[in-house]
Amino acid sequence: MTPDALHSAIHALLRDVSQRAILPHYQTLADHQVTAKAADDVVTVADHLSEELLAEGLAKIIPGLPIVGEEAAHADPSVMDRLSGPCWIVDPLDGTRNFAKGKPPFGILLAMAEGGECHTGWIYDVLTDRFCVAHRGKGAFVNGEKVHARPTGEALPVAAISLIFMDPARREAVHGQVSPHYRCVDVPYCAAEQYPRLVLGENDVSIFERTLPWDHAAGVLFLNEAGGKAARPDGSPYRVDDGRKGLLGAASPPLWDELAGLMDRLGA
């Protein structure tokens, strides 16, 4: 299958799954259709149905390629072992917290990886049909147009700092060290929105604590291929099979360097 044919097939699949599994439940969820997955996380019937339909569709696009889905991995942690080889990585409904409250943003994240490295990624906005694509070494695209990451140009760079998964002491330390140097804005609680914001001139830098592969594989590739930078705080590349915490994203390498320097003072 050619890259263009693959992208067309993926776009069609994401649209179909959105129409069948996600949008019918948007702003119509009953209480029993939302359950707690963890103290700080929820899952809905739309998440489960979307992952089921995506798995069926992906198996038709590339038969036999293993799938690492967020909900499957939650139910069976051994699914994560598939990350060491060729695989799909699926977040069937990114931004579930927002979706469950009946508000945007939310989307679908999909990636292909091999040997722990993501080589192709897709970020889909269910409500707007925005379709972001990235190929390793080939660039980043939004709705078929090649894009280049651009800073906001504001006097104080704009920072979206995700503090939710940090312990209280670290949260306070990060906020105290970083926030004076930026204009801090609310995070969207949705990686499918946060990475495009770094590329499209809305945000300059982001800090992520939890770095699960379905949340970050596609976004990291998209930002890096657009000419921005996403990497571990020590500068090492993000790998989907690396369970460490901590990830920094920026609209340009100089902005990344400035943020990494601030974080280094915390021993991050």
Side-chain angles (χ1 to χ4, degrees):
M1 181 178 291
T2 67
D4 287 346
L6 176 61
H7 295 322
S8 295
I10 293 297
H11 198 179
L13 175 62
L14 298 182
R15 278 177 170 161
D16 179 64
V17 171
S18 296
Q19 293 293 329
R20 295 169 60 195
I22 297 176
L23 290 175
H25 295 288
Y26 184 46
Q27 299 179 333
T28 67
L29 288 167
D31 289 345
H32 71 276
Q33 294 177 313
V34 183
T35 56
K37 191 161 65 171
D40 49 18
D41 206 0
V42 297
V43 65
T44 74
V45 292
D47 295 74
H48 290 294
L49 181 56
S50 176
E51 185 161 309
E52 177 184 330
L53 294 179
L54 286 168
E56 291 176 3
L58 293 173
K60 294 176 182 176
I61 293 172
I62 303 181
L65 187 64
I67 298 173
V68 179
E70 178 179 4
E71 306 314 326
H74 180 73
D76 178 7
S78 70
V79 168
M80 299 290 280
D81 295 340
R82 301 171 187 170
L83 292 168
S84 61
C87 64
W88 297 104
I89 302 173
V90 178
D91 189 333
L93 179 51
D94 184 58
T96 300
R97 171 197 299 249
N98 302 328
F99 182 82
K101 293 178 180 178
K103 64 179 185 180
F106 53 88
I108 300 174
L109 291 163
L110 178 63
M112 295 178 72
E114 185 166 2
E117 297 182 353
C118 177
H119 58 78
T120 313
W122 300 269
I123 305 173
Y124 185 65
D125 187 308
V126 172
L127 292 178
T128 69
D129 195 41
R130 182 182 65 196
F131 185 53
C132 302
V133 177
H135 273 306
R136 187 171 59 199
K138 301 294 185 180
F141 301 81
V142 176
N143 296 336
E145 297 292 328
K146 194 166 189 178
V147 293
H148 302 278
R150 58 182 188 271
T152 64
E154 295 195 18
L156 275 181
V158 179
I161 305 172
S162 183
L163 302 172
I164 185 172
F165 297 111
M166 298 180 186
D167 63 62
R170 178 167 172 77
R171 186 180 302 130
E172 182 177 354
V174 169
H175 189 267
Q177 178 69 24
V178 173
S179 61
H181 302 274
Y182 300 93
R183 179 170 74 83
C184 293
V185 296
D186 290 339
V187 296
Y189 298 107
C190 175
E193 175 64 19
Q194 198 152 350
Y195 280 104
R197 288 184 183 183
L198 288 169
V199 170
L200 299 176
E202 297 181 51
N203 292 345
D204 289 298
V205 299
S206 290
I207 299 174
F208 305 95
E209 180 74 356
R210 193 173 72 169
T211 62
L212 295 167
W214 40 81
D215 288 327
H216 295 282
V220 166
L221 182 66
F222 179 68
L223 180 55
N224 284 330
E225 286 296 320
K229 183 173 180 178
R232 297 292 184 181
D234 63 3
S236 60
Y238 176 77
R239 292 178 54 87
V240 301
D241 57 356
D242 181 352
R244 290 182 294 165
K245 293 182 179 181
L247 182 65
L248 307 180
S252 71
L255 283 167
W256 191 95
D257 290 341
E258 293 171 12
L259 179 59
L262 292 170
M263 294 296 287
D264 188 56
R265 297 175 195 173
L266 294 172

